[in-house]
Amino acid sequence: MKYGFLPQSIPAYSSFEVVNALRAKHPDYTYKPAMLNPTNPRDRAQDWEEDVISQFAKNTTLTEYVGQRGTASGQAMFIARPIRLPNPACLQCHSTVDAAPPTMIEKYGPANGFGWKMNDTLGAQIVSVPMAVPLKRADDAFGVVMGSLTGVFVLIGVVLNLMLWKLVIQPVTKLSALADRVSLGERDAPRVPPAPKDEIGTLSESFARMRKSLVHAMLL
Ligand code: HEC
């Protein structure tokens, strides 16, 4: 620091650079310490960021502000937290040009980043993420859930119909065809096949018994 200022030692610089490296892959995600009076001009707040900072300046108890805004690549969501000086040690570099290390003035100039005061709202850390990614994920998940629900319902419908046909409709149709033939006086109509012990089975047993009594009565 004596011979040349090392910006890597400044947390605000390092965090910006780390996120910058990530942005090579995900350019829609941004992080910025947006300041009204920045040391590094790239941290100067833009119009909408100034509005966010003024929210924090108006309401000093506000610790987080979440919002949405339109960007060139679609809707983005941002989360902002206020920047205030928490520690008098920060004033060494951010209060007056005279107090700051000469190597810092050499690098950043004496024009901005000074005159910050304790507990003033100086800016806001703003993280911005694109909405398109989570919205697309939510859409995809919705499609998968609805698709599998529809599939399950169709499967249940098909299985229920098959069972209804096999267990109820088919035996009852057979029974009613037989009843038709018996009612028309056909005595040699085939016997009712033995049925399982359920309601349909009981019905066909009763039918067989009724048929026997009928034949008996006719013979008398
Ligand atoms: C050794 C001097 C020094 C000290 C001490 C120091 N800063 Fe800084 N600060 C800087 C420099 C230089 C930059 C510009 C870094 C860059 O290039 O992004 C900076 C940048 C910042 C920024 C980013 C916005 C801007 O102005 O570019 C914030 C926020 C900040 N400092 C807050 C603090 C806080 C809070 C403290 C006390 C905990 C503190 N600083 C202590 C030198 C210092």
Side-chain angles (χ1 to χ4, degrees):
M1 288 291 202
K2 209 167 161 195
Y3 307 106
F5 193 81
L6 300 171
Q8 301 88 309
S9 63
I10 304 297
Y13 174 87
S14 308
S15 52
F16 194 102
E17 288 304 313
V18 168
V19 178
N20 244 359
L22 291 178
R23 287 191 60 199
K25 259 196 186 165
H26 305 284
D28 293 342
Y29 291 76
T30 63
Y31 161 75
K32 178 175 172 186
M35 303 295 278
L36 298 174
N37 174 20
T39 318
N40 188 333
R42 75 177 172 186
D43 296 332
R44 189 172 296 285
Q46 294 164 0
D47 322 354
W48 70 273
E49 292 165 339
E50 276 178 22
D51 293 344
V52 174
I53 297 169
S54 71
Q55 296 284 337
F56 289 122
K58 256 189 270 167
N59 184 353
T60 46
T61 53
L62 193 65
T63 53
E64 195 169 274
Y65 181 76
V66 180
Q68 280 182 32
R69 64 189 203 92
T71 66
S73 54
Q75 278 296 104
M77 192 180 123
F78 64 84
I79 300 178
R81 291 192 183 156
I83 295 178
R84 301 191 178 99
L85 293 191
N87 185 335
C90 311
L91 293 176
Q92 185 207 342
C93 297
H94 291 297
S95 61
T96 59
V97 179
D98 296 333
T103 48
M104 176 180 153
I105 308 295
E106 225 169 76
K107 189 166 170 62
Y108 292 91
N112 10 271
F114 298 104
W116 296 5
K117 294 199 178 63
M118 291 296 292
N119 300 324
D120 267 7
T121 302
L122 305 162
Q125 287 183 304
I126 303 179
V127 174
S128 180
V129 297
M131 297 278 281
V133 179
L135 285 182
K136 189 178 171 301
R137 263 193 219 160
D139 269 0
D140 288 353
F142 183 74
V144 168
V145 169
M146 289 321 269
S148 37
L149 266 188
T150 314
V152 166
F153 277 124
V154 167
L155 195 74
I156 289 178
V158 167
V159 169
L160 273 185
N161 266 303
L162 272 179
M163 281 169 69
L164 193 70
W165 180 77
K166 186 76 196 153
L167 296 178
V168 180
I169 297 181
Q170 205 189 26
V172 169
T173 316
K174 266 191 203 154
L175 214 56
S176 97
L178 205 61
D180 260 357
R181 290 169 71 177
V182 172
S183 76
L184 292 175
E186 226 183 280
R187 263 202 244 156
D188 54 348
R191 315 202 118 263
V192 181
K197 288 267 165 247
D198 56 8
E199 286 79 1
I200 304 287
T202 321
L203 180 67
S204 43
E205 251 169 42
S206 323
F207 177 72
R209 216 178 307 118
M210 188 183 79
R211 186 179 166 195
K212 232 186 253 166
S213 331
L214 200 67
V215 171
H216 214 68
M218 270 156 60
L219 288 182
L220 285 175

